[in-house]
Amino acid sequence: MAAGRLIIKTEFLPTKYRGYMLPLSQVFWLAGSLLIIGLASVVIPTIGWRWLIRIASIPGIILILAFKFIPESARFNVSTGNTQAALATLEHIAKMNRSVMPEGRLVEPILEKRGRFADLLDAKYLRTTLQIWVIWLGISFAYYGVILASAELLERDLVCGSRSEVVVTVGDTEGSQSPCHCHMFAPSDYQTMIISTIGEIALNPFNILGINFLGRRLSLSITMGCTALFFLLLNICTSSAGLIGFLFMLRALVAANFNTIYIYTAEVYPTTMRALGMGTSGSLCRIGAMVAPFISQVLMSASFLGALCLFSSVCIVCAISAFTLPIETKGRALQQIK
């Protein structure tokens, strides 16, 4: 869903505005994150987490109905020969902007074939595709790792060990018992989560400047390198304010990473491959998200430093991959054909 949304925005926005407007959409992601934390602080202590899931599902149901009002990409319609639909979309845009359509007609060669998975691994894009996949997997791994590690740090205070663990034995038969950490978040913990989540928008001005002046590759390699550093800084025994500061910066950096790779992936592939490139990258993103809990909760319980080093190492690999990407898309018009 996120990939499709970004592709449509990328194809509607002029080249000079993409590096500014796409990161600003992060505000709405932030609003959703803050809303769910606020709901959790009220719903979980009163009627339980199951009701939180039910309430959180409502916007998704509404969104299904809203899809009807989202226009199809004019570029896509033209590339498939559906010029009437493309014209209708452009006329609607002109009307909204109180403008008029220029004289002439839309002319675009109809493509005989759509993008195929094999095109992503073609010699021209093979290196770019493989490096993008590594970056997407690593960014997702770090993003969800930060979120889940935040919960672990707040629940059991793993940084300084000032809070004793609450262990509840689960199981009735001998040999099936296992420790379950059941410490409930205090109001201060929800406040910490909210403050750290606000970090996702904190670096947006610098992220926008980096994307537009340093370029996509260098900006991403810098933020990924800083992400690796702040993962290691979590191992420092610090005060509550220090922990909040580290989490704040980590959330800011991982959000900046996502902003940049979204833009780069949508820009680097031509129209025939753009959705396919974003879709496959999104699949790697989900794999990173699935692996993250095993590191940020399971491994972190056994070896806190080991988990942080693993997160940091993955971010360093991503930083190197970003720096060595073969194509820079800054100021580059969207490519129409392969």
Side-chain angles (χ1 to χ4, degrees):
M1 184 184 299
R5 165 182 56 82
L6 189 94
I7 291 169
I8 290 176
K9 286 194 295 184
T10 301
E11 295 184 351
F12 273 107
L13 288 171
T15 302
K16 64 179 181 179
Y17 294 127
R18 285 200 300 267
Y20 295 95
M21 297 305 297
L22 295 178
L24 289 177
S25 64
Q26 186 72 15
V27 173
F28 297 95
W29 181 279
L30 169 68
S33 300
L34 293 176
L35 178 61
I36 197 65
I37 295 172
L39 277 173
S41 66
V42 174
V43 174
I44 292 178
T46 53
I47 55 179
W49 65 267
R50 288 181 176 83
W51 272 103
L52 177 66
I53 300 298
R54 292 165 186 156
I55 296 172
S57 301
I58 295 174
I61 297 171
I62 296 174
L63 187 59
I64 294 174
L65 304 176
F67 283 146
K68 179 182 178 182
F69 302 98
I70 299 176
E72 180 56 84
S73 165
R75 288 179 181 271
F76 173 80
N77 281 330
V78 171
S79 68
T80 56
N82 193 357
T83 54
Q84 290 300 320
L87 278 171
T89 299
L90 294 175
E91 287 170 355
H92 178 65
I93 293 172
K95 183 178 179 181
M96 289 179 62
N97 287 281
R98 298 178 181 177
S99 182
V100 293
M101 288 280 290
E103 296 293 330
R105 61 192 183 90
L106 290 176
V107 178
E108 181 78 11
I110 299 175
L111 300 175
E112 296 298 329
K113 64 176 183 177
R114 305 285 183 84
R116 300 170 302 167
F117 180 79
D119 293 334
L120 297 175
L121 303 178
D122 183 80
K124 182 178 179 180
Y125 289 102
L126 177 60
R127 179 181 162 188
T128 301
T129 296
L130 294 178
Q131 289 184 231
I132 284 176
W133 285 352
V134 168
I135 294 169
W136 271 93
L137 191 149
I139 288 177
S140 175
F141 178 67
Y143 180 82
Y144 291 101
V146 170
I147 295 174
L148 294 170
S150 300
E152 283 290 296
L153 289 166
L154 294 172
E155 183 183 346
R156 294 184 288 170
D157 207 357
L158 290 174
V159 173
C160 286
S162 60
R163 180 186 296 170
S164 59
E165 293 183 1
V166 178
V167 179
V168 177
T169 301
V170 178
D172 298 325
T173 61
E174 186 177 352
S176 65
Q177 296 180 342
S178 62
C180 174
H181 305 284
C182 296
H183 176 78
M184 293 289 290
F185 271 16
S188 60
D189 294 328
Y190 285 110
Q191 292 172 11
T192 299
M193 291 291 287
I194 289 174
I195 293 171
S196 63
T197 301
I198 292 173
E200 293 198 12
I201 200 67
L203 284 186
N204 244 14
F206 299 102
N207 188 211
I208 291 172
L209 289 174
I211 289 172
N212 289 282
F213 292 99
L214 298 179
R216 280 56 161 159
R217 295 181 300 183
L218 182 56
S219 177
L220 181 57
S221 63
I222 290 173
T223 54
M224 286 302 308
C226 292
T227 305
L229 174 62
F230 273 91
F231 264 117
L232 294 178
L233 290 177
L234 279 179
N235 191 52
I236 298 175
C237 186
T238 183
S239 64
S240 176
L243 174 61
I244 293 173
F246 288 149
L247 293 177
F248 182 91
M249 284 303 301
L250 268 172
R251 293 292 288 270
L253 288 165
V254 294
N257 295 334
F258 256 130
N259 283 340
T260 310
I261 195 60
Y262 261 123
I263 294 172
Y264 182 86
T265 307
E267 290 178 334
V268 77
Y269 292 115
T271 300
T272 55
M273 297 166 54
R274 190 169 297 120
L276 187 63
M278 289 293 295
T280 54
S281 298
S283 299
L284 270 294
C285 177
R286 299 297 173 260
I287 293 174
M290 289 188 288
V291 174
F294 294 99
I295 308 304
S296 59
Q297 295 187 317
V298 179
L299 179 59
M300 188 169 281
S301 298
S303 175
F304 183 63
L305 180 59
L308 295 182
C309 287
L310 181 56
F311 279 119
S312 182
S313 299
V314 170
C315 291
I316 290 172
V317 171
C318 290
I320 296 172
S321 294
F323 187 74
T324 57
L325 281 166
I327 302 172
E328 173 58 68
T329 62
K330 173 189 169 186
R332 182 176 185 243
L334 292 181
Q335 306 299 299
Q336 298 299 310
I337 58 176
K338 180 180 169 183

